[in-house]
Amino acid sequence: MTDGPTRSTKAETTAETTAETTAETTAEEEDSARERLRRWRLVLGGGDADGTGHALSGRDAGVDGTLDALYGRNGRNGRTGDAQRAGRDRSAGLGASAPAVARWLGDVRKYFPSSVVRVMQRDAIDRLGLSTLLLEPEMLEAVEADVHLVGTLLSLNKAMPETTRETARAVVRKVVEDLEKRLATRTRATLTGALDRSARVSRPRHHDIDWNRTIAANLKHYLPEHRTVVPERLVGYGRASRSVKKEVILCVDQSGSMAASVVYASVFGAVLASMRSISTRLVVFDTSVVDLTDQLDDPVDVLFGTQLGGGTDINRALAYCQSRITRPADTVVVLISDLYEGGIRDEMLKRVAAMKASGVGFVALLALSDEGAPAYDREHAAALAALGAPAFACTPDLFPEVMAAAIERRPLPVPDRDDSAARGS
């Protein structure tokens, strides 16, 4: 008699639970659909053409307005008012007003993480021609500093008023110090190891024996009855000294397309110059050649000593570098250039061949940056590869390994992504 009511109660409970689950599922689906519409609305930019029919409010409306100012129709032409889209309750376009841009920069920093802020700032400078506004101190204080911004400031260096110069130097110094913190320790450690290995000798004096490596190299000569290793070959390092072991010449193209490379090369130049075992020279060039070695104790001074833009005369720059080489077998020349030569091509290649024949280690980097595959002269890259100097793009994180390989005279760690013309294969 008790089974009937119990089954009835279970059935009612099951029905109620199923109804609640269905309602919850329906609500979740509706929320998911609304979220998809919201995201598509932010992506498509609104107006009748986007087809979402979804209105934005609050923070979403602010994000949308910030994006539209840069990427919408008004962002592309830089005007406000007459080109606003129907039914959109927000401003669009940055105009030519510094206060308007400063407010927009504040909104960008409010709505997006730093990595996205830097991308949007770069797009704003490139798409809307805002470079001249960076000559105003209040603008520089509002932007998120990065390598690309430093390159833009350096290109404006000669036009920069005195009221802006100190602010610009502060911005550049912040970026440089951040880069040094990230790159200096690993660079010094990697190159110190390479210098020690390059100085290793096979007949070291007693105090110069590297016992760990000596034992590892002679394990096959272990004598069980004596429980010892009888070394047939000693491995050690040359006697430590304060003398310079290697000379490095950084020859950097300062044409406009090489801005990021100039920034990183200046930082690395300062790091190398701080190592007493390496004599470092920094040479920058366009159609003229400038030796900035005396300023290497402060990479900010180096950067403000460059002049981005202009032509390119690689042959002339290499001629200068070649004239400064006194110990070919202990010298590494690093050419950082996209290889668009405006000088005498055949002479450039002859100089590279002559340096390599004399014992100089020669490295050709198409770029020293994180900006991806660069544009470069493929014919010249292939010609260098044929001389045994593969040309490839290098990230800042890879640069210490490249320099270590060059110092030790072993094959360079050419990234797989570079094409066969650059590698000479």
Side-chain angles (χ1 to χ4, degrees), residues 6 11 29 49 88 98 199 262 296 358 365:
T6 300
E29 290 175 348
R88 302 181 69 178
V262 171
L296 275 176
S358 69
L365 302 182

Side-chain angles (χ1 to χ4, degrees), residues 5 13 80 98 128 136 173 180 221 252 262 274 354 383 387 393 397 406 418:
T13 301
T80 59
L128 305 178
E136 302 184 25
R173 187 169 296 281
E180 282 187 304
H221 303 300
V252 187
V262 171
S274 70
L387 295 175
D397 289 336
D418 290 281

Side-chain angles (χ1 to χ4, degrees), residues 31-43 51-54 56:
D31 289 343
S32 178
R34 280 195 295 269
E35 177 63 13
R36 283 196 300 271
L37 284 175
R38 184 185 75 87
R39 291 175 176 270
W40 275 114
R41 168 62 183 79
L42 287 169
V43 169
T52 64
H54 186 82
L56 299 176

Side-chain angles (χ1 to χ4, degrees), residues 401-413:
E401 299 296 335
V402 170
M403 290 303 303
I407 287 172
E408 295 182 68
R409 301 303 174 100
R410 53 184 170 83
L412 301 178

Side-chain angles (χ1 to χ4, degrees), residues 5 36 55 82 91 121 189 195 245 251 296 301 311 328 405 420:
R36 283 196 300 271
D82 60 346
S91 62
Q121 285 179 174
L195 290 166
K245 296 179 180 178
C251 186
L296 275 176
D301 285 341
S420 60

